[in-house]
């Protein structure tokens, strides 16, 4: 038997009523889209395999559609919301619709990119509908800062979902693919149509599942060193690694020496390499090399940055179900987002 009332989840009329009461007017121009379908959020929770003993962190709960569904299934939910209006309203929504579970909910009013601690027990799962313009940075930052997260399911723009789950040799394989695979086994976990949002976005959405590696990548190189190689390789992805890594290594001959030492052809390109091979290159960084990538590269970005996201992916994102942008956000990304 469910521990909650059958009508506890938010439907289309509930979403509109809440939005009106809060003075929130979602617009496509601002990328404000709310999930209005209870079946969709329950599907997300099932696909995430949320267990009764899970502590789930949700980034950007918005009005609480997914939050309530997570509370039905998990032991505890911690939501991270940056928007002042939405953050203030969510605890009351939870208390009103799930009074028996309200003590198992906590809100962190902050930018997810700045959060380094969460209240209560360590999170075991991350389930979120992420804002498309910062989806990859937020995802990678959360995986880095909270190693207790074993399972992740995120809803992102379909194109970004494809990039995250891409394998070497795929035309969309790039920086997000490699960095996500550093932490986890990544796969596409389904698609989400446009009609489950209000208003409907101009792009489709996809679910991505990430299961944390039971054993980290076997390498003596630090994560930041590996990611610097990845960023440099894809900053000039049409070039051979010998040329693309010249700035990172200090010169093209030094890059070639590092590649040969790692057992990788200097004529290969980044799109053909696994994360383990990037780690092997990082292990053979020439002594005295500064690690600075060539012009236009992104090797000195924070760990959560993407370095290879296409332009034009920010304008129709279900971000208001996610809350990583303040009310009235224009879609401009924060500094260090890697675009």
């Amino acid at each position: 038997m469910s521990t909650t009332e059958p009508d506890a989840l938010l439907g289309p009329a509930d979403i509109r009523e809440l939005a009106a009461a809060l003075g929130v007017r979602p617009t496509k121009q601002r990328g404000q889209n709310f999930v209005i379908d209870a079946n969709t959020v329950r599907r997300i929770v099932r696909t995430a395999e949320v267990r009764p003993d899970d502590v789930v962190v949700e980034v950007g709960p918005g009005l609480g559609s997914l939050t309530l569904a997570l509370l039905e299934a998990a032991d505890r939910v911690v939501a991270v919301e940056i928007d002042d209006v939405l953050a203030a309203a969510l605890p009351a929504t939870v208390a009103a619709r799930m009074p028996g579970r309200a003590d198992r909910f906590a809100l962190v009013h902050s930018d997810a990119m700045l959060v380094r601690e969460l209240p209560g027990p360590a999170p075991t799962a991350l389930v979120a509908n992420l804002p498309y313009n910062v989806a990859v940075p937020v995802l990678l930052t959360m995986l880095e800062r909270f190693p207790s997260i074993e399972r992740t399911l995120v809803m992102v723009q379909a194109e970004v979902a494809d990039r995250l789950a891409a394998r070497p040799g795929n035309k969309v394989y790039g920086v997000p693919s490699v960095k996500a695979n550093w932490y986890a086994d990544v796969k596409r976990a389904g698609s989400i149509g446009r009609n489950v949002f209000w208003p409907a976005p101009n792009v489709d959405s996809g679910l991505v599942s990430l299961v944390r590696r039971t054993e980290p990548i076997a390498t003596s190189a630090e994560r930041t060193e590996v990611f610097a190689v990845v960023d440099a390789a894809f900053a000039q992805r049409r070039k051979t690694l010998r040329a693309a890594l010249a700035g990172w290594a200090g010169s093209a001959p030094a890059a070639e020496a590092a590649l040969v030492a790692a057992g990788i052809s200097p004529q290969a390109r980044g799109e053909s390499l696994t994360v383990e091979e990037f780690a092997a290159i990082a292990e053979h960084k020439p002594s005295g090399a500064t690690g600075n990538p060539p012009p236009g590269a992104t090797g000195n970005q924070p760990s959560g940055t993407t370095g290879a996201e296409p332009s034009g992916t920010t304008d129709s994102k279900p971000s208001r179900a996610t809350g990583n942008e303040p009310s009235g956000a224009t879609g401009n990304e924060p500094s260090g987002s890697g675009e």
Side-chain angles (χ1 to χ4, degrees):
M1 178 179 293
S2 173
T3 59
T4 60
E5 294 297 321
D7 61 349
L9 300 192
L10 298 173
D14 300 311
I15 292 291
R16 288 178 172 86
E17 182 180 342
L18 274 172
L22 296 174
V24 175
R25 298 176 181 85
T27 66
K28 292 183 180 180
Q29 181 180 5
R30 293 178 177 177
Q32 295 173 318
N33 307 78
F34 299 96
V35 179
I36 59 174
D37 183 61
N39 289 329
T40 296
V41 292
R42 282 200 171 110
R43 174 192 165 194
I44 291 172
V45 172
R46 287 195 305 271
T47 305
E49 300 181 355
V50 175
R51 302 187 297 245
D53 61 344
D54 270 325
V55 176
V56 180
V57 58
E58 179 191 6
V59 175
L63 290 170
S65 299
L66 180 56
T67 310
L68 295 169
L70 289 168
L71 278 169
E72 282 190 331
D75 179 62
R76 179 177 172 84
V77 175
V78 180
V80 181
E81 175 62 68
I82 192 174
D83 186 285
D84 294 341
V85 174
L86 298 176
L90 187 55
T93 300
V94 171
R97 303 189 74 89
M98 290 189 177
R101 307 287 291 176
D103 63 338
R104 296 180 178 273
F105 171 75
L107 177 77
V108 176
H109 183 192
S110 178
D111 182 339
M113 294 292 288
L114 304 178
V115 171
R116 296 186 176 275
E117 294 181 344
L118 294 171
T124 59
L126 167 64
V127 184
N129 172 20
L130 295 176
Y132 292 158
N133 63 329
V134 291
V136 174
V138 168
L139 172 63
L140 297 181
T141 297
M142 294 297 289
L143 290 175
E144 175 198 343
R145 292 179 181 169
F146 300 98
S148 61
I149 293 175
E150 302 168 354
R151 287 163 288 112
T152 294
L153 187 81
V154 292
M155 178 160 62
V156 296
Q157 182 178 343
E159 181 182 355
V160 177
D162 291 339
R163 288 175 176 272
L164 283 167
R167 298 289 185 266
N170 189 297
K171 64 181 181 180
V172 299
Y173 181 76
V175 173
S177 323
V178 182
K179 291 184 178 181
N181 199 229
W182 169 269
Y183 297 104
D185 294 322
V186 189
K187 67 178 183 180
R188 269 293 224 124
S191 300
I192 301 292
R194 307 177 188 190
N195 62 344
V196 302
F197 298 101
W198 170 63
N202 293 325
V203 294
D204 293 321
S205 301
L207 298 176
V208 181
S209 168
L210 301 96
V211 178
R212 174 107 38 191
R213 291 176 176 271
T214 54
E215 295 292 335
I217 300 294
T219 179
S220 60
E222 296 292 332
R223 174 192 55 77
T224 53
E225 296 171 343
V226 178
F227 282 13
V229 178
V230 174
D231 287 330
F234 285 102
Q236 303 179 80
R237 63 183 299 149
R238 290 185 176 86
K239 293 188 175 183
T240 65
L241 287 172
R242 183 184 189 276
L245 298 182
W248 165 80
S251 68
E256 179 170 352
L259 288 161
V260 171
I264 296 166
S265 169
Q267 301 307 309
R269 288 175 170 79
E271 62 195 36
S272 68
L273 268 58
T274 65
V275 63
E276 289 85 358
E277 288 173 318
F278 279 110
I281 297 170
E283 290 177 6
H284 293 89
K285 180 178 179 179
S287 59
T290 64
N292 293 326
T298 55
N300 289 326
Q301 294 177 332
S303 64
T305 57
T306 68
E309 291 299 293
S311 60
T313 61
T314 66
D315 50 359
S316 292
K317 54 200 176 295
S319 62
R320 201 47 53 204
T322 65
N324 266 293
E325 297 171 279
S327 295
T330 62
N332 295 329
E333 295 177 17
S335 174
S337 65
E339 294 297 309

